[in-house]
Amino acid sequence: MKPRFGPATVGRWALLTVGVIIALLPWVWMLRTALGPGQNALGISSNPIPSSITFAHFSDAFRAGALGRALINGLIVSLGILILQLATAIPAAYAFACLRFRGRTALFGLVLAALLIPPQVVAVPNYVTVSAFGLADTRLGLVLPFMTNGIAIFLLRQYMTTIPPALLEAARMDGLGTWRTLRKIVVPLSMPAIATTSVFSFLLSFNEYLWPLLEARSPAIATPPLALARLTQGANGFPDFAQLCAAALIVSLPTLVVFVVAQRRLTAGLAGTGAAS
Amino acid sequence: MTIRGRGAAWGHGDTPRAAALLLPAFVGLIAFIGVPTFLTIFVAGTDKSLTGPSFHWTGTANTRTAIHDGAFHQSVTNTLLYCLYTIIPALVIGLALALAAARVTRGRGLLRLALFLPVTANLVAIAVVFSYIFDSDGHGLANTVLGWFGAAPVNWLGGTATALPVVASVGLWRLVSLVFVLYLAGLTAVPESVYEAAEVDGLRGWARFRWVTWPLLGPTTVFVLVVVTTLTLQTFDTVSVLTGGGPLGSSTTLVYYIYQVGFTNSFRIGYASMLVVLLLVVVIGVGALGSVLGRRARVRAARTSAVGGSIALPGGAPEPAAPALPVSAGAGR
């Protein structure tokens, strides 16, 4: 079809323009406020363009919210979760995709059923479990409950089912066992899916709020969303929005960077989940 | 390392090896999802509190409490209102954006990047900006815009009538993006030949959408509705940061109320568990309904696709009997 400049095209572009503006507005407003002059009760401005530019709010936010420590905590916890999830999901996905065994369908159904359970349902018992192991208020306690991720198993299995059985058969003929087939054939071939899964996992864990809120009581192990929320609540009704917006931007930066770098993979991954519906 | 010799056949005899491969995943699944779920269901029938060590089986006492609990009723009403403000609008806007964006070729990467951004947003960070945009005095962006039209500033987050809609606007902002991503994926899976066949039949514009695209997107729509509803029912982060459930409980969603009952006001874990089991039942109900509707939608999509002169299944589901919807309770939280 040739592009034509009829009313439909104009309407389409108008819709997309408004959509993009609204999607970006909170980020732009965050940046504008963080760079602008102070926004506390004494000097508030509503000019879209700040009258002067300063980077002071970023350093203030870093200090007031102990954000450096929070970012390191967030990275440690998210990467810890990622490693555990890959370690549990890759073998499981491989078994579901490439091996034949009794109860395969039922067990896979169980993995999918577990996805339906809201995190709030398991929060209190998990808190008890983690405390029983003496891990309350530790980074390990922030990691452990997320060790198995059903979405990761699902995405990886979907991908691994596309590996031609002839290839696995050839590996067997060459004398490769189950383990070595996984290591030498299946994992290298599944790298795109593993990358997508990793990005998903990182974004979700880094943004996780409810579990750290319950588990991480001491400020020393606060994750970025928690540190930001505490900074907000510490404002006692007189928030310095410039500082808060700077903090929000700092906290958002790791996920923004990962997202921009990995955008294509994410879309492909989401297409994968959609296709299976 | 396998212990078996060369003669071992790939096939039905893989059970021991499969068990070893599945073990780590199932340890996590059982320890942190399976057992805790049953524990919560059990505790739902007790008067356990977070502070006291002893507790008793009280049967349906918590259910009876809920029937007379005005704050609980309010939280249910608020959750339903929140769903009303977000789910259908997000579906319509997200679909419209996806339809518009699917045809864009130039600048497509940047366009998609911008519209995908909200999916990965940190909700606490976004809530901070929204609390500034909807700041109560004349300096928040929302009140500034109102001022241009000569309207008086509104106490957005402090008013019982406006607090919940403002919280819902954050949810909507994010859900539109998620719906957009899912529909765009669904649209990419529709084979070009179907559109060509529709063109031959003289179907264009609205008619083509109504009789070709919409039925083909049926399975995606069911999936989107299940995911979005499940996520919306679990709204917590934004309420926690923006309003703390106030003023006067006017923005307390069900999950935020459960948090208050269990962890802040009274530490009544038993009662909180009963309420969370209620959420679980509703979510499972939504999932089951989605499973049934999804099957029907796939049949309908296959028929539409066949009429359109193509045998390709949109969504290209490799398995005709996908066991369930991969709904993530956590996806895009």
Side-chain angles (χ1 to χ4, degrees):
Chain A
M1 255 191 291
K2 276 180 276 174
R4 290 177 302 131
F5 292 93
T9 315
V10 174
R12 194 148 53 85
W13 279 106
L15 179 71
L16 288 174
T17 311
V18 173
V20 167
I21 290 173
I22 292 176
L24 294 182
L25 183 72
W27 309 105
V28 173
W29 208 244
M30 213 190 270
L31 188 66
R32 164 256 178 218
T33 311
L35 290 174
Q39 299 288 317
N40 52 31
L42 298 173
I44 279 185
S45 124
S46 56
N47 291 340
I49 314 276
S51 51
S52 61
I53 294 231
T54 168
F55 289 94
H57 301 300
F58 287 95
S59 46
D60 287 352
F62 247 107
R63 232 173 303 120
L67 294 181
R69 195 176 56 190
L71 284 175
I72 291 170
N73 285 336
L75 289 177
I76 292 175
V77 169
S78 308
L79 292 179
I81 291 174
L82 174 61
I83 291 167
L84 269 181
Q85 287 186 350
L86 289 181
T88 56
I90 292 174
Y94 170 55
F96 282 129
C98 305
L99 299 188
R100 259 172 234 193
F101 53 91
R102 229 175 291 137
R104 183 171 73 160
T105 318
L107 287 175
F108 190 61
L110 221 54
V111 170
L112 295 183
L115 286 177
L116 266 176
I117 294 176
Q120 296 86 4
V121 172
V122 295
V124 173
N126 279 348
Y127 184 75
V128 176
T129 311
V130 165
S131 307
F133 283 103
L135 296 173
D137 209 14
T138 65
R139 288 186 198 88
L140 191 56
L142 289 175
V143 170
L144 224 45
F146 297 96
M147 66 179 275
T148 303
N149 181 352
I151 311 165
I153 298 177
F154 176 79
L155 283 176
L156 290 174
R157 191 208 79 122
Q158 292 298 94
Y159 195 86
M160 287 177 187
T161 48
T162 63
I163 296 174
L167 203 61
L168 299 172
E169 182 61 22
R172 188 182 71 80
M173 298 301 259
D174 287 345
L176 261 67
T178 315
W179 257 123
R180 281 205 289 164
T181 310
L182 173 60
R183 271 198 356 242
K184 309 256 167 169
I185 313 266
V186 176
V187 167
L189 280 177
S190 307
M191 266 345 246
I194 292 173
T196 308
T197 309
S198 304
V199 173
F200 267 125
S201 160
F202 179 83
L203 292 177
L204 283 182
S205 340
F206 197 86
N207 286 338
E208 172 68 28
Y209 180 63
L210 178 67
W211 180 247
L213 181 69
L214 301 180
E215 205 268 353
R217 302 265 159 182
S218 61
I221 64 158
T223 56
L226 199 55
L228 179 60
R230 286 190 179 144
L231 193 63
T232 314
Q233 282 142 15
N236 285 330
F238 294 103
D240 179 349
F241 279 115
Q243 196 191 69
L244 288 180
C245 282
L249 210 55
I250 293 167
V251 165
S252 304
L253 211 58
T255 48
L256 278 179
V257 170
V258 168
F259 174 66
V260 170
V261 170
Q263 193 231 123
R264 266 165 218 285
R265 290 209 170 288
L266 274 177
T267 332
L270 276 171
T273 52
S277 65
Chain B
M1 274 293 149
T2 175
I3 314 161
R4 293 224 192 164
R6 294 157 139 278
W10 292 81
H12 299 284
D14 288 333
T15 307
R17 276 176 288 179
L21 291 167
L22 291 175
L23 187 68
F26 273 83
V27 165
L29 214 56
I30 291 166
F32 294 110
I33 298 177
V35 172
T37 303
F38 287 106
L39 275 178
T40 296
I41 294 172
F42 167 72
V43 171
T46 69
D47 61 357
K48 183 168 172 41
S49 81
L50 199 62
T51 42
S54 71
F55 57 93
H56 311 280
W57 178 259
T58 55
T60 56
N62 285 329
T63 323
R64 273 177 276 130
T65 311
I67 291 173
H68 302 291
D69 182 356
F72 165 64
H73 298 169
Q74 190 184 17
S75 75
V76 171
T77 313
N78 286 342
T79 306
L80 292 178
L81 279 174
Y82 187 102
C83 288
L84 188 73
Y85 297 149
T86 52
I87 296 175
I88 299 297
L91 194 87
V92 172
I93 302 169
L95 175 60
L97 285 171
L99 286 169
R103 307 252 304 273
V104 171
T105 42
R106 212 180 304 160
R108 159 193 179 124
L110 275 179
L111 179 71
R112 291 182 181 191
L113 185 70
L115 291 173
F116 290 170
L117 265 181
V119 176
T120 55
N122 184 317
L123 276 181
V124 177
I126 293 304
V128 166
V129 188
F130 269 73
S131 69
Y132 178 45
I133 290 176
F134 288 101
D135 196 31
S136 57
D137 52 38
H139 304 290
L141 182 62
N143 279 340
T144 307
V145 173
L146 279 185
W148 294 343
F149 299 100
V154 174
N155 187 2
W156 296 100
L157 290 167
T160 51
T162 45
L164 188 66
V166 169
V167 176
S169 72
V170 188
L172 182 62
W173 177 79
R174 161 107 123 179
L175 286 178
V176 164
S177 177
L178 181 64
V179 172
F180 169 78
V181 176
L182 293 173
Y183 266 126
L184 202 58
L187 279 171
T188 341
V190 176
E192 195 57 36
S193 59
V194 174
Y195 289 135
E196 283 159 13
E199 187 86 0
V200 172
D201 291 343
L203 287 174
R204 325 198 74 221
W206 172 253
R208 191 182 77 167
F209 174 76
R210 174 67 188 84
W211 302 109
V212 180
T213 318
W214 179 245
L216 284 178
L217 286 176
T220 312
T221 304
V222 174
F223 181 67
V224 166
L225 276 176
V226 172
V227 172
V228 166
T229 309
T230 312
L231 287 178
T232 303
L233 287 172
Q234 297 171 21
T235 303
F236 174 79
D237 303 11
T238 44
V239 177
S240 163
V241 176
L242 277 171
T243 63
L248 300 174
S250 64
S251 64
T252 303
T253 55
L254 177 59
V255 170
Y256 195 78
Y257 182 60
I258 293 170
Y259 170 75
Q260 282 184 325
V261 168
F263 287 95
T264 58
N265 297 347
S266 48
F267 303 109
R268 288 185 292 165
I269 292 295
Y271 186 40
S273 296
M274 202 284 290
L275 297 179
V276 97
V277 169
L278 186 77
L279 173 75
L280 177 66
V281 169
V282 174
V283 167
I284 289 176
V286 170
L289 189 67
S291 187
V292 173
L293 291 178
R295 204 164 301 142
R296 256 190 236 168
R298 275 196 296 276
V299 171
R300 223 173 129 231
R303 209 181 298 140
T304 309
S305 194
V307 170
S310 159
I311 47 157
L313 264 171
E319 302 203 271
L325 290 155
V327 180
S328 135
R333 228 174 301 161

